[in-house]
């Protein structure tokens, strides 16, 4: 994105070039998610959080800030961790906590895979049809 160069500069200034890889635009996101243990969303501003939904659909827990729609997507303590916006120490602690606890990571991942169904197409269509039924059954003024 637009902050790519700044991010790369930061990684260089922190001496982490050997530890961080910028992958750029990819067409193999499901494979990348499958190879991941945890998805980290450090966004300070977010809409619904489609990337978090996709990660959870692949059975990956998510650590995110509680911004935008992310608290609706990530159920703190069930499908991942959702920490207060801007609380960097809590964010880092949540990431390290999950990476250090394989059983919790697995449990959160399984719950994430199940919970992500509420954002699926079938659920969306059913909810939309319920809205139409409600609107049709309502009195017109």
């Amino acid at each position: 994105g637009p902050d790519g160069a700044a991010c790369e500069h930061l990684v260089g200034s922190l001496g982490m070039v050997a530890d961080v890889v910028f992958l750029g635009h990819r067409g193999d996101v499901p494979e990348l998610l499958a190879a991941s243990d945890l998805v980290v969303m450090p966004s300070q501003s977010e809409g619904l959080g489609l990337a978090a939904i996709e990660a959870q659909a692949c059975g990956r827990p998510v650590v995110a800030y509680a911004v935008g729609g992310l608290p609706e997507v990530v159920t703190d303590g069930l499908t991942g961790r959702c920490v207060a916006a801007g609380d960097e120490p809590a964010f880092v602690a949540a990431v390290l906590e999950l990476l250090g606890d394989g059983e919790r990571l697995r449990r959160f991942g399984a719950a994430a895979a199940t919970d992500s169904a509420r954002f699926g197409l079938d659920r969306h269509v059913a909810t939309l049809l319920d809205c139409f039924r409600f609107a049709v059954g309502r009195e017109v003024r």
Side-chain angles (χ1 to χ4, degrees):
D3 295 326
C7 290
E8 290 178 18
H9 176 73
L10 177 61
V11 166
S13 70
L14 294 172
M16 298 177 67
V17 173
D19 302 306
V20 178
V21 178
F22 291 94
L23 299 177
H25 180 70
R26 300 291 294 250
D28 58 347
V29 173
E31 290 83 4
L32 293 172
L33 288 172
S36 302
D37 294 320
L38 175 69
V39 173
V40 178
M41 298 208 38
S43 305
Q44 294 292 326
S45 174
E46 191 72 44
L48 178 61
L50 183 58
I53 294 169
E54 291 170 341
Q56 291 185 150
C58 290
R60 298 302 177 257
V62 175
V63 174
Y65 283 117
V67 296
L70 287 172
E72 180 182 344
V73 174
V74 180
T75 305
D76 187 45
L78 179 65
T79 64
R81 294 295 318 277
C82 202
V83 302
D87 189 345
E88 291 178 13
F91 192 89
V92 170
V95 170
L96 294 175
E97 168 191 317
L98 285 177
L99 290 176
D101 186 344
E103 174 55 30
R104 183 181 285 180
L105 200 62
R106 186 201 59 72
R107 197 170 61 245
F108 282 10
T114 300
D115 189 57
S116 67
R118 65 192 169 103
F119 295 101
L121 182 59
D122 291 343
R123 178 77 178 260
H124 176 73
V125 169
T127 302
L128 190 57
L129 289 172
D130 287 344
C131 288
F132 289 147
R133 287 183 192 106
F134 177 77
V136 169
R138 221 174 157 171
E139 266 185 57
V140 178
R141 294 180 192 214

